[in-house]
Amino acid sequence: MAAPLKIFCSAALRQTVRPFSSTCATYAGKKWRLENGLAWTGSEYGPLTDLPDWSFADGRPAPPLKGQIRRRKEREEFARRAVYLNAEVDQGMEAWSTKKEVEKR
């Protein structure tokens, strides 16, 4: 039964007046979020992504989900890399300034 349906669908697409588009769908509100300095998708970061989905009745927080643990680890690695690169730039600037001082003398 799948084969006749497939033939029918492809035949119907060939006979339509409007062209068939295979472009990617755009995310609703993407332009507005980018213009306002937010993430390009609504689920990249923020309270709906970062906060736990539930908590225990006595107030204890829920254990973190795998995605939350992964995102926390990625952010920590990114922060470490940023600090390392900043220190490297500072060392380069100091070396450059001492080299310029030596050349002046």
Side-chain angles (χ1 to χ4, degrees):
M1 182 168 173
L5 181 61
K6 183 178 179 183
I7 293 170
F8 174 73
C9 288
S10 63
L13 286 175
R14 277 185 266 147
Q15 294 176 358
T16 58
V17 176
R18 296 177 66 184
F20 180 74
S21 177
S22 63
T23 59
C24 299
T26 57
Y27 293 101
K30 175 181 174 183
K31 181 179 176 185
W32 180 86
R33 284 191 296 269
L34 290 176
E35 288 173 353
N36 290 296
L38 301 172
W40 68 280
T41 63
S43 62
E44 196 167 324
Y45 59 84
L48 295 177
T49 305
D50 298 333
L51 296 177
D53 293 335
W54 57 276
S55 64
F56 291 102
D58 62 358
R60 291 180 293 146
L65 301 173
K66 290 180 184 179
Q68 291 170 331
I69 295 170
R70 178 185 46 82
R71 283 188 294 277
R72 185 181 303 140
K73 184 178 177 183
E74 288 173 355
R75 290 177 185 146
E76 287 174 2
E77 290 173 3
F78 182 79
R80 281 191 192 101
R81 178 101 172 120
V83 168
Y84 171 76
L85 292 174
N86 190 23
E88 192 173 306
V89 168
D90 290 342
Q91 289 174 354
M93 291 298 290
E94 288 177 17
W96 177 76
S97 63
T98 56
K99 183 178 176 182
K100 286 292 183 182
E101 288 177 11
V102 168
E103 288 178 0
K104 283 184 179 179
R105 292 179 190 178

